[in-house]
Amino acid sequence: MKALQHIRLLDLTHMLSGPYAGMILADLGAETIKIEPPGRGEGTRRLLEKDPNNSLNGMGAYFLTLNRNKKSMTLNLKSEEGLELFYELVKTADIVLDNFSAGVTSRLKIDHDHLSTINPRIITTTITGFGETGPDNNRPAFDMVAQAMGGGMSITGQPSSPPTRAGIPIGDLGGGLMGVIGVLAALAAREQTGRGQHVDISMLDAQISLLNYMATMTNLSGSIPGQLGNAHFVHVPYDTFPVSDGYIIIAVITDNFWANLMALVNAPELDTEENKGQPGRWKNKEVINQRLSEIFQTNTQAYWIGQLSEARIPCAPVNNFAQALSEPQILARNMVVEVEHPEGGSVKMPGNPIKLSDTHEDTFTPPPLLGQHTDEVLQSLEFSATEIAALREKEII
């Protein structure tokens, strides 16, 4: 059993932020019907499709990953008959998810005001770059726009380098995660009120939220932080250190961790009364980091991770993707799963990070071919084969 298997989601999303939200909800069991325009389908269906290294049977990595556990239905929402058919689907649905630009759902007559007259319990969710209100609500935005305006880029990278975006598309993915949280909150509220509502998610809002305590520090101190590389605003040593065959990180955030570190490494010049507290370590940050770099370079990553872990000092190897995806801890938690292609073959990809103790079924159906489930969905609405054939003839589906 899956937690959301009683929920029907109409997924109108494209690219990354919206499809990622839909993927998480689908992994959790929501019957997710991906509605795509007839012909070429959603844009990411074609992305990397001809790349021999990053596609499988003509389906690129984006689509393979983001659309597992979903069904595909083609539907022309710009036609009157297609719109009426969508309204029939809405009667049976719980959620409509999109990441169109602000105002598009109103123009298409698929916004909450329209859909709630058809189904008062419907929850609509729109993920946009800037949200649906405010002076910038109509500006186009992609991942790096949100990262740049949200402040995160200004503290990322080495002090001497230009501002650097996060390596993972946290602007898009942050918006998707907030979209999932919004949907789940609206579902919980509906249990109390009996009514659906609209969820307005801004990728930029998400980035501001993720600044968290660092934003509060700026407001308290009036000091604008800059780039610290992999160092921390408060804790020392908290950084990346070279070893003989790569890099490790250590994160000493308490005085006890520092004491454990001093007992492990041979550095009497660092084991001073002043350095026993955070203020002293912060004052002597450069000396501490330089000496630890010299010490850690004397042995391998595996050696130091073993020694530091045994001493209960927070640490980690700096893994590349292949190393991260083969970590025993990751594999033990089913965070690398094999998903089949509908026409044969399979591909490994990240699993579902949400682990539930009861409704914990963890299965993954293949990402769908374009329109693969159109007939099935229409049959669930009691359309006959003749009626479905007529809709196909008129290019409604």
Side-chain angles (χ1 to χ4, degrees):
M1 179 179 177
K2 293 191 177 186
L4 299 182
Q5 66 182 34
H6 61 299
I7 298 297
R8 173 174 268 194
L9 164 64
L10 305 181
D11 183 348
L12 301 172
T13 64
H14 61 288
M15 293 307 291
L16 183 52
S17 62
Y20 182 64
M23 181 201 80
I24 294 173
L25 293 166
D27 286 354
L28 291 172
E31 181 194 12
T32 302
I33 302 169
K34 184 176 183 67
I35 295 177
E36 303 182 66
R40 292 183 58 82
E42 186 250 301
T44 48
R45 185 176 280 279
R46 303 300 175 191
L47 195 59
L48 300 175
E49 65 175 339
K50 296 181 180 178
D51 185 326
N53 296 317
N54 293 296
S55 65
L56 176 64
N57 296 337
M59 192 177 282
Y62 278 76
F63 197 88
L64 280 166
T65 309
L66 294 163
N67 294 288
R68 66 196 189 194
N69 284 330
K70 298 182 183 180
K71 300 175 180 179
S72 172
M73 174 183 183
T74 55
L75 184 61
N76 182 0
L77 289 175
K78 295 182 179 179
S79 70
E80 191 63 36
E81 197 166 350
L83 186 60
E84 290 300 322
L85 183 51
F86 181 74
Y87 291 159
E88 289 301 309
L89 280 169
V90 168
K91 293 177 183 178
T92 72
D94 298 280
I95 305 159
V96 176
L97 175 68
D98 78 89
N99 61 325
F100 295 133
S101 299
V104 169
T105 56
S106 296
R107 291 196 295 273
L108 290 174
K109 299 180 182 178
I110 57 172
D111 57 302
H112 191 263
D113 285 347
H114 279 91
L115 300 187
S116 62
T117 64
I118 299 164
N119 179 357
R121 291 175 57 82
I122 198 71
I123 293 164
T124 57
T125 302
T126 297
I127 303 169
T128 60
F130 295 92
E132 296 178 90
T133 60
D136 289 331
N137 72 315
N138 283 313
R139 287 181 57 180
F142 291 97
D143 173 75
M144 194 155 63
V145 175
Q147 288 200 40
M149 287 192 69
M153 276 183 66
S154 72
I155 58 170
T156 306
Q158 297 299 325
S160 58
S161 70
T164 305
R165 71 173 179 86
I168 60 172
I170 192 64
D172 276 322
L173 299 179
L177 289 171
M178 296 301 179
V180 171
I181 294 168
V183 164
L184 296 179
L187 284 171
R190 193 177 70 176
E191 292 297 309
Q192 303 299 314
T193 67
R195 301 186 305 275
Q197 60 185 298
H198 181 59
V199 181
D200 170 11
I201 299 294
S202 156
M203 289 162 53
L204 180 59
D205 289 354
Q207 295 305 292
I208 296 297
S209 176
L210 293 174
L211 295 181
N212 203 262
Y213 71 90
M214 291 177 285
T216 305
M217 289 171 65
T218 294
N219 289 328
L220 284 169
S221 68
S223 176
I224 299 174
Q227 294 154 291
L228 289 174
N230 294 323
H232 197 276
F233 292 96
V234 176
H235 305 298
V236 176
Y238 188 113
D239 213 327
T240 305
F241 296 93
V243 293
S244 64
D245 60 349
Y247 291 89
I248 63 171
I249 66 96
I250 62 171
V252 173
I253 61 173
T254 70
D255 295 342
N256 287 339
F257 290 148
W258 173 257
N260 292 349
L261 181 62
M262 289 299 95
L264 174 64
V265 301
N266 182 23
E269 69 276 25
L270 300 182
D271 193 10
T272 65
E273 192 66 28
E274 184 176 48
N275 286 343
K276 287 181 179 179
Q278 183 274 340
R281 294 197 297 274
W282 183 260
K283 175 184 174 183
N284 299 316
K285 174 181 175 180
E286 298 304 323
V287 172
I288 291 171
N289 284 350
Q290 178 59 40
R291 182 67 183 115
L292 289 177
S293 291
E294 295 169 357
I295 293 170
F296 288 138
Q297 287 181 76
T298 63
N299 219 314
T300 64
Q301 189 182 78
Y303 171 83
W304 284 116
I305 294 300
Q307 294 290 304
L308 291 161
S309 297
E310 188 174 341
R312 302 292 295 168
I313 298 165
C315 64
V318 178
N319 283 335
N320 60 33
F321 276 32
Q323 291 166 330
L325 294 171
S326 60
E327 279 279 357
Q329 178 69 16
I330 296 301
L331 299 178
R333 289 181 60 80
N334 203 33
M335 280 308 299
V336 177
V337 298
E338 194 154 353
V339 176
E340 295 179 351
H341 187 284
E343 294 181 320
S346 63
V347 61
K348 291 182 178 179
M349 61 181 67
N352 177 10
I354 300 168
K355 311 299 184 184
L356 301 174
S357 65
D358 185 14
T359 52
H360 55 69
E361 182 184 338
D362 209 15
T363 54
F364 303 90
T365 60
L369 300 174
L370 180 61
Q372 181 179 342
H373 303 93
T374 300
D375 288 17
E376 174 190 322
V377 173
L378 291 176
Q379 287 164 4
S380 75
L381 299 179
E382 299 186 350
F383 277 69
S384 68
T386 301
E387 290 171 320
I388 293 172
L391 289 169
R392 189 165 279 118
E393 178 70 23
K394 290 186 284 186
E395 299 184 346
I396 305 301
I397 58 174

